[in-house]
Amino acid sequence: ICSLSVWVILTLWLLLSSLSPLIEKISDHKDFKKLLRTRNNVLVLYSKSAAAAESSLRLLSSVAQEVKGRGTISWIDCGDTESRKLCKKMKVDPNSKEKGVDLLHYKDGAFHTAYNRAVTLKSMVAFLKDPEGAPLWEEDPEAKDIVHVDSEKELRRLLKKEDKPLLMMFYAPWCGVCKRMMPSYQQAATELKGKYVLAGMNVYSAEFERIKEEFNVRGYPTICYFEKGKFLFNFENFGATAADIAEWLKNPQAPQPQAPETPWADEENVVYHLTDEDFDKFIKDHSSVLVMFHAPLAAWAAAPRQLPGVLAAVDATVNKALAERYHISGFPTLKYFKDGEEKYTLPHLRTKKKIIDWLQNPEAPPPPEPAWEEKQTSVIHLAGEDFRESLKKKKHTLVMFYAPWCPHCKNAIPHFTTAAEVFKEDRKIAYAAVDCAKGQNHDLCKQEGVDGYPTFNYYNYGKFVEKYTGDRGESGFTTFMRTLRERDHERVGKKKDEL
């Protein structure tokens, strides 16, 4: 018994001595409440004993290193006499769990959810970087035969060593078309295992700009076919079944542009397909043309024959010269040509009625919504050359790194702007923004650790402190600043008491 006790004590000592300084061991309820009050993204490991926590803590030490500044890892040993009361107050009993450990997540000072995703470094890091985000594709058991690529280095290695024909899906986690296609894609990966390799790579974040440029990723998904590391063709049947993918792989070919002057759907719909080769001639031959630049899944609504103009369509994923010439960056894009010259871009035409009504009386579209930085708000818009100097003037600054085209950014901007208004009279507090899509800011965003949009960084007199991963609504942004301000008042109060 004595030797057993010595072994337990020795094990506990070794565990504590090797515990990462980034993992905060908590035993007191007041300390835990303070932790939740001052940190807005906390993953807590509850264990029935120190021994039960050992393997989890080894993994969490690596997780803590990866999410430093963006999330907090804490450990509560419910087997310890001092911590037992805390576990009871929190109503957590790790003894009821198979491995004697329980992982719970707290967000903005309150319980958020039990961690029930894959217990791996990659999944846990992804969760703490975006607690509201969907699970990674590789967490789906049905996707076990997809080769999941995480970095440019891994991609290069795969292309270099793989002898079998390879199909690579470059995707974004929010992309609806990608999500609809994934079940067929992963089924094909399983059925074709050993003959072909089907892979996937999330290239949405800014760190993959070089990859997107190299493989011409203009939209999601972009699916590339390789043989012995060499890119040959794109696969563009985004509604394909597993059988369709298998059939195409037997005889892979470049997408074939459709012939021009062919009705889109039937004889009642007069929509002409245009290509790089015949576009200029067609525009010159017709005095009034409304052109939709589209991806394969986009389509015109049924159009009547009697229109005061011609409807045409260009598959911009195939006719890339035209897409580049007219700066097509999203689908669908509608452009109106008059007497052979481009006259208007028409983002407001999205329904059959609006298109027909507009063609009856073609006129300039309403002026575009002014850019965020052009509006009068309390948000400070920063650029590379004045970034650091501007931040040094404020004690607390929350900076939003964004791209104007990013849907998550568009959702967050109104809330961030409103929060800035709340604190506009406080000279120590600022809300700032950096447009990472501007060339002059590319290096700055990379330097500040921006790997996706939006990214929120908190700075204290210009010095980076942590990444903000809380709620992206007005209350989340304002609560974060109020907490910092209250902390300042507490420090001032303590100094007065000491004097």
Side-chain angles (χ1 to χ4, degrees):
I1 294 173
C2 183
S3 61
L4 180 62
S5 300
V6 170
W7 180 84
V8 170
I9 293 170
L10 181 61
T11 301
L12 181 59
W13 179 82
L14 288 171
L15 178 62
L16 292 173
S17 62
S18 62
L19 186 64
S20 167
L22 295 174
I23 295 180
E24 301 189 27
K25 190 174 188 301
I26 303 287
S27 56
D28 181 75
H29 187 246
K30 288 183 179 178
D31 291 339
F32 188 56
K33 284 179 69 177
K34 183 180 179 182
L35 176 73
L36 297 185
R37 190 173 68 250
T38 56
R39 310 288 175 82
N40 54 21
N41 182 25
V42 184
L43 186 64
V44 180
L45 172 71
Y46 293 88
S47 66
K48 70 176 183 180
S49 65
E54 187 176 356
S55 62
S56 297
L57 287 172
R58 278 199 296 269
L59 172 60
L60 289 170
S61 294
S62 300
V63 174
Q65 188 63 44
E66 292 289 327
V67 300
K68 184 179 178 181
R70 300 183 68 167
T72 301
I73 308 290
S74 182
W75 172 38
I76 300 174
D77 177 9
C78 297
D80 178 68
T81 305
E82 192 178 355
S83 305
R84 201 168 292 146
K85 292 180 182 178
L86 172 57
C87 295
K88 284 184 178 179
K89 280 192 174 183
M90 301 309 297
K91 298 179 180 178
V92 179
D93 181 16
N95 289 288
S96 63
K97 302 296 179 179
E98 184 181 348
K99 294 183 179 179
V101 294
D102 201 1
L103 277 166
L104 302 182
H105 183 256
Y106 297 81
K107 185 171 176 285
D108 299 327
F111 172 71
H112 172 231
T113 185
Y115 181 82
N116 55 11
R117 287 168 55 173
V119 185
T120 64
L121 174 64
K122 187 177 176 184
S123 293
M124 297 180 91
V125 168
F127 171 78
L128 281 168
K129 285 184 175 180
D130 185 9
E132 305 285 355
L136 301 173
W137 190 7
E138 53 262 52
E139 292 180 40
D140 184 345
E142 299 297 319
K144 65 183 185 302
D145 294 315
I146 299 288
V147 176
H148 299 280
V149 179
D150 297 322
S151 67
E152 182 176 345
K153 186 177 179 180
E154 282 185 36
L155 176 62
R156 304 291 180 201
R157 190 186 303 127
L158 177 65
L159 294 177
K160 186 177 180 179
K161 74 170 186 177
E162 188 53 66
D163 290 328
K164 292 186 282 294
L166 168 70
L167 203 58
M168 168 64 74
M169 180 194 287
F170 295 107
Y171 68 95
W174 47 262
C175 160
V177 178
C178 306
K179 291 176 184 176
R180 289 194 293 273
M181 189 176 184
M182 281 174 178
S184 298
Y185 194 78
Q186 58 201 29
Q187 182 185 341
T190 299
E191 293 175 358
L192 300 171
K193 189 175 180 180
K195 295 180 180 178
Y196 301 91
V197 173
L198 274 70
M201 184 176 184
N202 173 10
V203 293
Y204 175 57
S205 75
E207 67 184 288
F208 297 117
E209 289 303 322
R210 188 162 68 174
I211 293 292
K212 287 184 271 191
E213 184 68 27
E214 181 177 346
F215 297 108
N216 204 26
V217 179
R218 295 182 175 276
Y220 302 109
T222 293
I223 304 175
C224 298
Y225 175 74
F226 298 85
E227 286 185 2
K228 297 190 181 300
K230 183 181 178 182
F231 167 70
L232 296 181
F233 313 119
N234 283 108
F235 178 80
E236 295 186 348
N237 181 3
F238 301 136
T241 64
D244 292 332
I245 295 171
E247 189 63 30
W248 186 86
L249 284 170
K250 290 177 184 177
N251 182 27
Q253 295 180 351
Q256 297 300 311
Q258 294 170 303
E261 303 200 13
T262 302
W264 187 279
D266 56 51
E267 293 181 357
E268 294 304 314
N269 298 332
V270 188
V271 179
Y272 299 99
H273 295 285
L274 305 180
T275 68
D276 288 333
E277 289 73 30
D278 58 30
F279 182 86
D280 291 334
K281 184 177 185 304
F282 187 90
I283 294 298
K284 286 178 181 176
D285 291 345
H286 298 79
S287 63
S288 179
V289 188
L290 186 60
V291 181
M292 174 194 282
F293 293 85
H294 68 96
L297 288 181
W300 281 103
R305 280 186 173 275
Q306 300 304 316
L307 283 174
V310 177
L311 298 182
V314 173
D315 184 344
T317 66
V318 174
N319 301 284
K320 292 173 181 173
L322 283 172
E324 290 179 11
R325 193 205 306 181
Y326 291 106
H327 308 291
I328 305 303
S329 59
F331 305 119
T333 295
L334 273 69
K335 289 183 178 287
Y336 179 65
F337 294 80
K338 182 68 175 173
D339 297 326
E341 299 291 334
E342 178 188 352
K343 194 166 184 182
Y344 304 130
T345 298
L346 304 159
H348 64 299
L349 299 186
R350 284 293 182 268
T351 66
K352 175 181 175 181
K353 184 178 186 305
K354 285 184 178 180
I355 290 168
I356 293 172
D357 289 348
W358 188 87
L359 278 171
Q360 305 291 341
N361 182 29
E363 58 184 8
E369 179 76 13
W372 187 16
E373 61 190 273
E374 295 171 356
K375 297 178 181 178
Q376 290 295 319
T377 72
S378 296
V379 175
I380 303 168
H381 292 272
L382 303 175
E385 63 272 8
D386 62 1
F387 179 77
R388 197 68 56 188
E389 289 305 313
S390 297
L391 293 187
K392 286 179 181 178
K393 299 174 184 176
K394 300 290 183 178
K395 184 171 186 179
H396 303 299
T397 308
L398 187 61
V399 180
M400 176 176 172
F401 296 88
Y402 74 101
W405 47 261
C406 157
H408 296 302
C409 303
K410 291 176 183 177
N411 291 337
I413 283 172
H415 303 293
F416 195 79
T417 302
T418 305
E421 289 296 317
V422 172
F423 291 93
K424 66 181 179 180
E425 301 299 331
D426 193 320
R427 289 184 293 176
K428 293 183 179 180
I429 290 174
Y431 288 77
V434 176
D435 181 355
C436 294
K438 288 186 175 179
Q440 70 194 78
N441 293 331
H442 283 176
D443 290 342
L444 169 64
C445 294
K446 187 174 181 181
Q447 172 190 311
E448 298 304 310
V450 177
D451 56 7
Y453 305 124
T455 289
F456 299 90
N457 285 357
Y458 162 60
Y459 297 85
N460 180 261
Y461 287 123
K463 184 179 179 181
F464 171 76
V465 178
E466 63 178 325
K467 288 191 180 291
Y468 171 84
T469 57
D471 180 66
R472 293 177 182 176
E474 178 195 342
S475 62
F477 294 133
T478 54
T479 299
F480 178 76
M481 279 299 183
R482 285 197 180 101
T483 301
L484 293 172
R485 194 163 62 176
E486 287 169 9
R487 206 183 300 168
D488 290 343
H489 292 160
E490 286 177 9
R491 289 195 189 106
V492 171
K494 284 181 180 178
K495 285 182 180 179
K496 286 182 179 177
D497 291 343
E498 288 171 2
L499 290 171

